[in-house]
Amino acid sequence: MQNKLILIVEDEEDILELLEYTLQKEGFETIGFLNVDKTLKKVLEQEDISLILMDRNLPGSEGTSFINDIKKEGYNNPVIYVTAKDKDEDILEGFDAHADDYITKPFNVKELIARVKAVIKRTSKKVDILKIRDITYKASNKKFYIEEKEIELTHLEHDLFLEFLKNKDILMSREHLLETVWEDSLDKKVKTVNVAIKRLKAKIDPDSTKDYIKSVRGEGYIFC
């Protein structure tokens, strides 16, 4: 459990301090917030968050609203709600809002720690980071990094690049890429693939020195 980073959002400062102190004693690292401010999402983008402990009664907002928003954006960090909302309908609402567990206040500290460890153990088996050569893909924020520098891609380029990473050393035809990446798009032409790959290569290998994606004449493309 060492070096797992937990993000805590709790508007009562004494409870926030208790959670941070208790979790740090157990070997976790923590980042605490008293409300949902504009820097919170930045932390999710920049840090490898193993778990979010989220209050629901926050100044000017509801914790489930923030979680629903980030889930729509592709963040898949596990979530435990720690809240005074303890009615049956509240708990059901929490699980509908992506809860991996739901803890009501007041809580037993030892039980909270046990449930935190259980959720992290269960969810850490999910593959969130894909690394090939000097490329890193983080599923939590759907972003690619080359030599730790973020690469800005369009939605289509993201899907195309991810398809290559998932099929390393496998020759893929243009027709296959059209079916898997373009899916129901009306613009399903072979030359569309050629143009998209040319643009992708310009972003991921502007100096043409790494040769990530190779063209095989008459066959398609291969990522190696």
Side-chain angles (χ1 to χ4, degrees):
M1 294 291 173
Q2 296 292 321
N3 301 320
K4 297 290 186 180
L5 179 58
I6 298 177
L7 174 63
I8 308 169
V9 186
E10 166 58 60
D11 71 328
E12 294 186 47
E13 195 165 355
D14 56 341
I15 295 179
L16 177 60
E17 289 177 356
L18 171 65
L19 288 170
E20 291 204 272
Y21 172 76
T22 303
L23 290 165
Q24 288 170 13
K25 276 186 64 178
E26 292 293 322
F28 295 102
E29 295 178 13
T30 62
I31 300 176
F33 282 81
L34 290 167
N35 53 59
V36 176
D37 68 26
K38 60 185 179 181
T39 61
L40 185 53
K41 195 172 289 185
K42 202 71 177 175
V43 170
L44 285 172
E45 292 175 0
Q46 296 176 346
E47 303 289 345
D48 184 13
I49 304 296
S50 297
L51 176 66
I52 300 172
L53 291 184
M54 175 65 67
D55 192 5
R56 291 188 59 183
N57 296 313
L58 296 167
S61 64
E62 223 279 10
T64 55
S65 297
F66 176 78
I67 296 300
N68 283 329
D69 287 344
I70 64 171
K71 293 292 184 177
K72 287 176 184 176
E73 294 179 24
Y75 293 91
N76 63 358
N77 311 77
V79 177
I80 298 178
Y81 291 108
V82 182
T83 175
K85 289 193 171 185
D86 59 358
K87 295 179 181 178
D88 288 348
E89 55 265 35
D90 293 327
I91 296 171
L92 290 172
E93 187 178 58
F95 279 103
D96 285 339
H98 307 283
D100 291 272
D101 203 347
Y102 197 100
I103 298 173
T104 57
K105 299 175 181 176
F107 53 83
N108 178 286
V109 171
K110 290 183 178 180
E111 180 184 347
L112 181 138
I113 292 298
R115 288 165 77 168
V116 163
K117 289 180 177 180
V119 168
I120 288 180
K121 183 178 180 180
R122 183 172 74 245
T123 57
S124 63
K125 295 175 183 177
K126 298 176 183 177
V127 177
D128 182 53
I129 297 177
L130 180 62
K131 290 189 177 183
I132 297 177
R133 291 177 57 179
D134 57 356
I135 302 166
T136 301
Y137 176 70
K138 292 186 178 181
S140 60
N141 59 10
K142 292 188 174 183
K143 291 189 177 180
F144 293 91
Y145 303 83
I146 295 179
E147 294 180 354
E148 299 184 357
K149 181 181 178 182
E150 182 184 334
I151 306 300
E152 294 289 343
L153 300 177
T154 65
H155 179 75
L156 174 64
E157 290 163 349
H158 165 279
D159 292 351
L160 183 59
F161 197 17
L162 186 57
E163 184 68 14
F164 276 116
L165 263 64
K166 288 180 176 178
N167 294 278
K168 184 178 182 293
D169 296 326
I170 297 175
L171 178 63
M172 292 187 289
S173 68
R174 292 168 180 82
E175 290 74 19
H176 167 80
L177 291 170
L178 282 170
E179 289 300 320
T180 55
V181 177
W182 275 258
E183 295 183 338
D184 298 326
S185 171
L186 295 175
D187 191 18
K188 293 179 71 170
K189 302 173 185 175
V190 168
K191 75 172 185 178
T192 303
V193 178
N194 299 341
V195 171
I197 289 178
K198 183 177 180 180
R199 289 178 177 170
L200 176 62
K201 289 170 76 172
K203 290 185 177 181
I204 64 175
D205 188 16
D207 301 325
S208 300
T209 57
K210 300 187 178 182
D211 207 18
Y212 295 120
I213 302 171
K214 294 181 179 180
S215 175
V216 180
R217 181 179 289 275
E219 297 289 337
Y221 295 90
I222 187 167
F223 175 83
C224 53

mmCIF file with all atom_site columns, all heavy atoms in Angstrom, residues 74-88:
data_model
loop_
_atom_site.group_PDB
_atom_site.id
_atom_site.type_symbol
_atom_site.label_atom_id
_atom_site.label_alt_id
_atom_site.label_comp_id
_atom_site.label_asym_id
_atom_site.label_entity_id
_atom_site.label_seq_id
_atom_site.pdbx_PDB_ins_code
_atom_site.Cartn_x
_atom_site.Cartn_y
_atom_site.Cartn_z
_atom_site.occupancy
_atom_site.B_iso_or_equiv
_atom_site.pdbx_formal_charge
_atom_site.auth_seq_id
_atom_site.auth_comp_id
_atom_site.auth_asym_id
_atom_site.auth_atom_id
_atom_site.pdbx_PDB_model_num
ATOM 1   N N   . GLY A 1 74 ? -13.636 10.957 -18.769 1.00 0.00 ? 74 GLY A N   1
ATOM 2   C CA  . GLY A 1 74 ? -12.766 9.801  -18.940 1.00 0.00 ? 74 GLY A CA  1
ATOM 3   C C   . GLY A 1 74 ? -11.899 9.444  -17.756 1.00 0.00 ? 74 GLY A C   1
ATOM 4   O O   . GLY A 1 74 ? -11.152 8.457  -17.802 1.00 0.00 ? 74 GLY A O   1
ATOM 5   N N   . TYR A 1 75 ? -11.976 10.205 -16.661 1.00 0.00 ? 75 TYR A N   1
ATOM 6   C CA  . TYR A 1 75 ? -11.201 9.857  -15.472 1.00 0.00 ? 75 TYR A CA  1
ATOM 7   C C   . TYR A 1 75 ? -11.828 8.631  -14.811 1.00 0.00 ? 75 TYR A C   1
ATOM 8   O O   . TYR A 1 75 ? -13.048 8.588  -14.617 1.00 0.00 ? 75 TYR A O   1
ATOM 9   C CB  . TYR A 1 75 ? -11.176 11.022 -14.480 1.00 0.00 ? 75 TYR A CB  1
ATOM 10  C CG  . TYR A 1 75 ? -10.415 12.223 -14.976 1.00 0.00 ? 75 TYR A CG  1
ATOM 11  C CD1 . TYR A 1 75 ? -11.060 13.239 -15.673 1.00 0.00 ? 75 TYR A CD1 1
ATOM 12  C CD2 . TYR A 1 75 ? -9.047  12.338 -14.767 1.00 0.00 ? 75 TYR A CD2 1
ATOM 13  C CE1 . TYR A 1 75 ? -10.363 14.347 -16.142 1.00 0.00 ? 75 TYR A CE1 1
ATOM 14  C CE2 . TYR A 1 75 ? -8.336  13.436 -15.222 1.00 0.00 ? 75 TYR A CE2 1
ATOM 15  C CZ  . TYR A 1 75 ? -9.003  14.438 -15.916 1.00 0.00 ? 75 TYR A CZ  1
ATOM 16  O OH  . TYR A 1 75 ? -8.306  15.516 -16.382 1.00 0.00 ? 75 TYR A OH  1
ATOM 17  N N   . ASN A 1 76 ? -11.005 7.648  -14.481 1.00 0.00 ? 76 ASN A N   1
ATOM 18  C CA  . ASN A 1 76 ? -11.558 6.417  -13.899 1.00 0.00 ? 76 ASN A CA  1
ATOM 19  C C   . ASN A 1 76 ? -11.032 6.140  -12.494 1.00 0.00 ? 76 ASN A C   1
ATOM 20  O O   . ASN A 1 76 ? -11.037 5.000  -12.033 1.00 0.00 ? 76 ASN A O   1
ATOM 21  C CB  . ASN A 1 76 ? -11.294 5.219  -14.817 1.00 0.00 ? 76 ASN A CB  1
ATOM 22  C CG  . ASN A 1 76 ? -9.813  4.938  -14.992 1.00 0.00 ? 76 ASN A CG  1
ATOM 23  O OD1 . ASN A 1 76 ? -8.968  5.655  -14.453 1.00 0.00 ? 76 ASN A OD1 1
ATOM 24  N ND2 . ASN A 1 76 ? -9.485  3.900  -15.743 1.00 0.00 ? 76 ASN A ND2 1
ATOM 25  N N   . ASN A 1 77 ? -10.592 7.199  -11.790 1.00 0.00 ? 77 ASN A N   1
ATOM 26  C CA  . ASN A 1 77 ? -10.105 7.026  -10.425 1.00 0.00 ? 77 ASN A CA  1
ATOM 27  C C   . ASN A 1 77 ? -11.225 6.475  -9.532  1.00 0.00 ? 77 ASN A C   1
ATOM 28  O O   . ASN A 1 77 ? -12.357 6.955  -9.603  1.00 0.00 ? 77 ASN A O   1
ATOM 29  C CB  . ASN A 1 77 ? -9.636  8.362  -9.849  1.00 0.00 ? 77 ASN A CB  1
ATOM 30  C CG  . ASN A 1 77 ? -8.705  9.102  -10.783 1.00 0.00 ? 77 ASN A CG  1
ATOM 31  O OD1 . ASN A 1 77 ? -9.165  9.699  -11.753 1.00 0.00 ? 77 ASN A OD1 1
ATOM 32  N ND2 . ASN A 1 77 ? -7.424  9.073  -10.516 1.00 0.00 ? 77 ASN A ND2 1
ATOM 33  N N   . PRO A 1 78 ? -10.937 5.474  -8.699  1.00 0.00 ? 78 PRO A N   1
ATOM 34  C CA  . PRO A 1 78 ? -11.958 4.969  -7.781  1.00 0.00 ? 78 PRO A CA  1
ATOM 35  C C   . PRO A 1 78 ? -12.372 6.032  -6.764  1.00 0.00 ? 78 PRO A C   1
ATOM 36  O O   . PRO A 1 78 ? -11.585 6.933  -6.434  1.00 0.00 ? 78 PRO A O   1
ATOM 37  C CB  . PRO A 1 78 ? -11.279 3.779  -7.106  1.00 0.00 ? 78 PRO A CB  1
ATOM 38  C CG  . PRO A 1 78 ? -9.822  3.998  -7.291  1.00 0.00 ? 78 PRO A CG  1
ATOM 39  C CD  . PRO A 1 78 ? -9.666  4.737  -8.580  1.00 0.00 ? 78 PRO A CD  1
ATOM 40  N N   . VAL A 1 79 ? -13.606 5.924  -6.280  1.00 0.00 ? 79 VAL A N   1
ATOM 41  C CA  . VAL A 1 79 ? -14.184 6.949  -5.409  1.00 0.00 ? 79 VAL A CA  1
ATOM 42  C C   . VAL A 1 79 ? -14.851 6.308  -4.194  1.00 0.00 ? 79 VAL A C   1
ATOM 43  O O   . VAL A 1 79 ? -15.596 5.337  -4.318  1.00 0.00 ? 79 VAL A O   1
ATOM 44  C CB  . VAL A 1 79 ? -15.250 7.775  -6.171  1.00 0.00 ? 79 VAL A CB  1
ATOM 45  C CG1 . VAL A 1 79 ? -15.899 8.806  -5.239  1.00 0.00 ? 79 VAL A CG1 1
ATOM 46  C CG2 . VAL A 1 79 ? -14.648 8.451  -7.389  1.00 0.00 ? 79 VAL A CG2 1
ATOM 47  N N   . ILE A 1 80 ? -14.574 6.871  -3.021  1.00 0.00 ? 80 ILE A N   1
ATOM 48  C CA  . ILE A 1 80 ? -15.340 6.554  -1.820  1.00 0.00 ? 80 ILE A CA  1
ATOM 49  C C   . ILE A 1 80 ? -15.969 7.861  -1.333  1.00 0.00 ? 80 ILE A C   1
ATOM 50  O O   . ILE A 1 80 ? -15.253 8.841  -1.092  1.00 0.00 ? 80 ILE A O   1
ATOM 51  C CB  . ILE A 1 80 ? -14.482 5.960  -0.690  1.00 0.00 ? 80 ILE A CB  1
ATOM 52  C CG1 . ILE A 1 80 ? -13.850 4.633  -1.115  1.00 0.00 ? 80 ILE A CG1 1
ATOM 53  C CG2 . ILE A 1 80 ? -15.320 5.749  0.565   1.00 0.00 ? 80 ILE A CG2 1
ATOM 54  C CD1 . ILE A 1 80 ? -12.939 4.016  -0.051  1.00 0.00 ? 80 ILE A CD1 1
ATOM 55  N N   . TYR A 1 81 ? -17.279 7.879  -1.208  1.00 0.00 ? 81 TYR A N   1
ATOM 56  C CA  . TYR A 1 81 ? -17.932 9.041  -0.605  1.00 0.00 ? 81 TYR A CA  1
ATOM 57  C C   . TYR A 1 81 ? -17.876 8.904  0.907   1.00 0.00 ? 81 TYR A C   1
ATOM 58  O O   . TYR A 1 81 ? -18.191 7.836  1.460   1.00 0.00 ? 81 TYR A O   1
ATOM 59  C CB  . TYR A 1 81 ? -19.385 9.152  -1.061  1.00 0.00 ? 81 TYR A CB  1
ATOM 60  C CG  . TYR A 1 81 ? -19.541 9.511  -2.525  1.00 0.00 ? 81 TYR A CG  1
ATOM 61  C CD1 . TYR A 1 81 ? -19.980 8.573  -3.446  1.00 0.00 ? 81 TYR A CD1 1
ATOM 62  C CD2 . TYR A 1 81 ? -19.230 10.795 -2.973  1.00 0.00 ? 81 TYR A CD2 1
ATOM 63  C CE1 . TYR A 1 81 ? -20.117 8.901  -4.786  1.00 0.00 ? 81 TYR A CE1 1
ATOM 64  C CE2 . TYR A 1 81 ? -19.357 11.123 -4.318  1.00 0.00 ? 81 TYR A CE2 1
ATOM 65  C CZ  . TYR A 1 81 ? -19.794 10.180 -5.216  1.00 0.00 ? 81 TYR A CZ  1
ATOM 66  O OH  . TYR A 1 81 ? -19.920 10.502 -6.547  1.00 0.00 ? 81 TYR A OH  1
ATOM 67  N N   . VAL A 1 82 ? -17.440 9.971  1.587   1.00 0.00 ? 82 VAL A N   1
ATOM 68  C CA  . VAL A 1 82 ? -17.420 10.019 3.054   1.00 0.00 ? 82 VAL A CA  1
ATOM 69  C C   . VAL A 1 82 ? -18.313 11.194 3.429   1.00 0.00 ? 82 VAL A C   1
ATOM 70  O O   . VAL A 1 82 ? -17.917 12.359 3.279   1.00 0.00 ? 82 VAL A O   1
ATOM 71  C CB  . VAL A 1 82 ? -15.991 10.200 3.596   1.00 0.00 ? 82 VAL A CB  1
ATOM 72  C CG1 . VAL A 1 82 ? -16.005 10.189 5.127   1.00 0.00 ? 82 VAL A CG1 1
ATOM 73  C CG2 . VAL A 1 82 ? -15.052 9.129  3.063   1.00 0.00 ? 82 VAL A CG2 1
ATOM 74  N N   . THR A 1 83 ? -19.507 10.915 3.899   1.00 0.00 ? 83 THR A N   1
ATOM 75  C CA  . THR A 1 83 ? -20.514 11.971 3.964   1.00 0.00 ? 83 THR A CA  1
ATOM 76  C C   . THR A 1 83 ? -21.528 11.747 5.077   1.00 0.00 ? 83 THR A C   1
ATOM 77  O O   . THR A 1 83 ? -21.724 10.610 5.543   1.00 0.00 ? 83 THR A O   1
ATOM 78  C CB  . THR A 1 83 ? -21.254 12.046 2.608   1.00 0.00 ? 83 THR A CB  1
ATOM 79  O OG1 . THR A 1 83 ? -22.322 12.981 2.690   1.00 0.00 ? 83 THR A OG1 1
ATOM 80  C CG2 . THR A 1 83 ? -21.818 10.689 2.202   1.00 0.00 ? 83 THR A CG2 1
ATOM 81  N N   . ALA A 1 84 ? -22.178 12.827 5.476   1.00 0.00 ? 84 ALA A N   1
ATOM 82  C CA  . ALA A 1 84 ? -23.253 12.744 6.464   1.00 0.00 ? 84 ALA A CA  1
ATOM 83  C C   . ALA A 1 84 ? -24.578 12.335 5.828   1.00 0.00 ? 84 ALA A C   1
ATOM 84  O O   . ALA A 1 84 ? -25.552 12.065 6.535   1.00 0.00 ? 84 ALA A O   1
ATOM 85  C CB  . ALA A 1 84 ? -23.416 14.095 7.164   1.00 0.00 ? 84 ALA A CB  1
ATOM 86  N N   . LYS A 1 85 ? -24.648 12.280 4.520   1.00 0.00 ? 85 LYS A N   1
ATOM 87  C CA  . LYS A 1 85 ? -25.873 11.862 3.832   1.00 0.00 ? 85 LYS A CA  1
ATOM 88  C C   . LYS A 1 85 ? -26.016 10.346 3.993   1.00 0.00 ? 85 LYS A C   1
ATOM 89  O O   . LYS A 1 85 ? -25.356 9.576  3.285   1.00 0.00 ? 85 LYS A O   1
ATOM 90  C CB  . LYS A 1 85 ? -25.816 12.251 2.353   1.00 0.00 ? 85 LYS A CB  1
ATOM 91  C CG  . LYS A 1 85 ? -25.951 13.761 2.124   1.00 0.00 ? 85 LYS A CG  1
ATOM 92  C CD  . LYS A 1 85 ? -26.198 14.072 0.651   1.00 0.00 ? 85 LYS A CD  1
ATOM 93  C CE  . LYS A 1 85 ? -26.558 15.528 0.455   1.00 0.00 ? 85 LYS A CE  1
ATOM 94  N NZ  . LYS A 1 85 ? -26.917 15.843 -0.948  1.00 0.00 ? 85 LYS A NZ  1
ATOM 95  N N   . ASP A 1 86 ? -26.878 9.945  4.927   1.00 0.00 ? 86 ASP A N   1
ATOM 96  C CA  . ASP A 1 86 ? -26.908 8.538  5.314   1.00 0.00 ? 86 ASP A CA  1
ATOM 97  C C   . ASP A 1 86 ? -28.247 7.836  5.090   1.00 0.00 ? 86 ASP A C   1
ATOM 98  O O   . ASP A 1 86 ? -28.443 6.702  5.526   1.00 0.00 ? 86 ASP A O   1
ATOM 99  C CB  . ASP A 1 86 ? -26.504 8.397  6.777   1.00 0.00 ? 86 ASP A CB  1
ATOM 100 C CG  . ASP A 1 86 ? -27.425 9.174  7.718   1.00 0.00 ? 86 ASP A CG  1
ATOM 101 O OD1 . ASP A 1 86 ? -28.355 9.860  7.214   1.00 0.00 ? 86 ASP A OD1 1
ATOM 102 O OD2 . ASP A 1 86 ? -27.221 9.099  8.941   1.00 0.00 ? 86 ASP A OD2 1
ATOM 103 N N   . LYS A 1 87 ? -29.187 8.504  4.410   1.00 0.00 ? 87 LYS A N   1
ATOM 104 C CA  . LYS A 1 87 ? -30.456 7.835  4.110   1.00 0.00 ? 87 LYS A CA  1
ATOM 105 C C   . LYS A 1 87 ? -30.239 6.789  3.023   1.00 0.00 ? 87 LYS A C   1
ATOM 106 O O   . LYS A 1 87 ? -29.288 6.881  2.240   1.00 0.00 ? 87 LYS A O   1
ATOM 107 C CB  . LYS A 1 87 ? -31.494 8.859  3.657   1.00 0.00 ? 87 LYS A CB  1
ATOM 108 C CG  . LYS A 1 87 ? -31.882 9.867  4.738   1.00 0.00 ? 87 LYS A CG  1
ATOM 109 C CD  . LYS A 1 87 ? -32.897 10.856 4.200   1.00 0.00 ? 87 LYS A CD  1
ATOM 110 C CE  . LYS A 1 87 ? -33.278 11.883 5.262   1.00 0.00 ? 87 LYS A CE  1
ATOM 111 N NZ  . LYS A 1 87 ? -34.239 12.886 4.748   1.00 0.00 ? 87 LYS A NZ  1
ATOM 112 N N   . ASP A 1 88 ? -31.138 5.815  2.979   1.00 0.00 ? 88 ASP A N   1
ATOM 113 C CA  . ASP A 1 88 ? -31.008 4.757  1.975   1.00 0.00 ? 88 ASP A CA  1
ATOM 114 C C   . ASP A 1 88 ? -30.935 5.330  0.564   1.00 0.00 ? 88 ASP A C   1
ATOM 115 O O   . ASP A 1 88 ? -30.127 4.892  -0.255  1.00 0.00 ? 88 ASP A O   1
ATOM 116 C CB  . ASP A 1 88 ? -32.189 3.779  2.070   1.00 0.00 ? 88 ASP A CB  1
ATOM 117 C CG  . ASP A 1 88 ? -32.107 2.907  3.315   1.00 0.00 ? 88 ASP A CG  1
ATOM 118 O OD1 . ASP A 1 88 ? -31.044 2.910  3.967   1.00 0.00 ? 88 ASP A OD1 1
ATOM 119 O OD2 . ASP A 1 88 ? -33.102 2.229  3.623   1.00 0.00 ? 88 ASP A OD2 1
#
